[in-house]
Amino acid sequence: FASSQRSGRCRGSRRQAPEAAEELALARIMCLTRSTRHRLPDVLDGWERLGFGDREILVQHLTADGLRQPTFFFGCLPSFLVGAMEVEAVGLARGLMMLSDI
């Protein structure tokens, strides 16, 4: 039932519903940081520390399909984000903020 309500699409539109787009962006961050479900609280904490503007930018870029919206390839992004998570003075939130500024 929940998955049918969260189809990720708005009626009559090709845009994703905001909740579904944010969930997809978070799933992609989980993959990029090579995280397991045990690290989900760390990823969610980093995400929640972001301001609305940074989240909006990251959702837009992390959900772009490369066909209708331009995309970018960052070959070292997984290493960058993992490194940010491992350095306490940096953390995932600051790493994501830097990414949203690019």
Side-chain angles (χ1 to χ4, degrees):
F1 177 72
S3 61
S4 65
Q5 285 183 328
R6 291 183 174 176
S7 65
R9 302 278 181 199
C10 296
R11 284 192 182 178
S13 171
R14 289 191 167 264
R15 277 187 69 181
Q16 293 182 333
E19 303 85 26
E22 188 167 307
E23 288 176 7
L24 178 58
L26 277 167
R28 290 193 172 157
I29 292 169
M30 288 288 293
C31 291
L32 286 166
T33 57
R34 303 175 184 128
S35 295
T36 63
R37 67 174 181 239
H38 303 292
R39 214 148 182 207
L40 179 60
D42 297 330
V43 173
L44 288 175
D45 181 60
W47 181 256
E48 290 170 1
R49 289 177 184 262
L50 296 174
F52 177 77
D54 288 324
R55 280 193 231 168
E56 190 174 356
I57 289 167
L58 290 171
V59 166
Q60 180 183 3
H61 288 290
L62 291 169
T63 60
D65 65 7
L67 300 173
R68 290 182 292 270
Q69 306 99 353
T71 57
F72 300 93
F73 176 74
F74 295 101
C76 295
L77 186 57
S79 296
F80 170 75
L81 292 175
V82 168
M85 288 179 78
E86 291 175 354
V87 177
E88 190 175 328
V90 179
L92 181 61
R94 285 192 179 135
L96 291 172
M97 281 185 236
M98 287 185 67
L99 180 60
S100 73
D101 287 341
I102 295 177

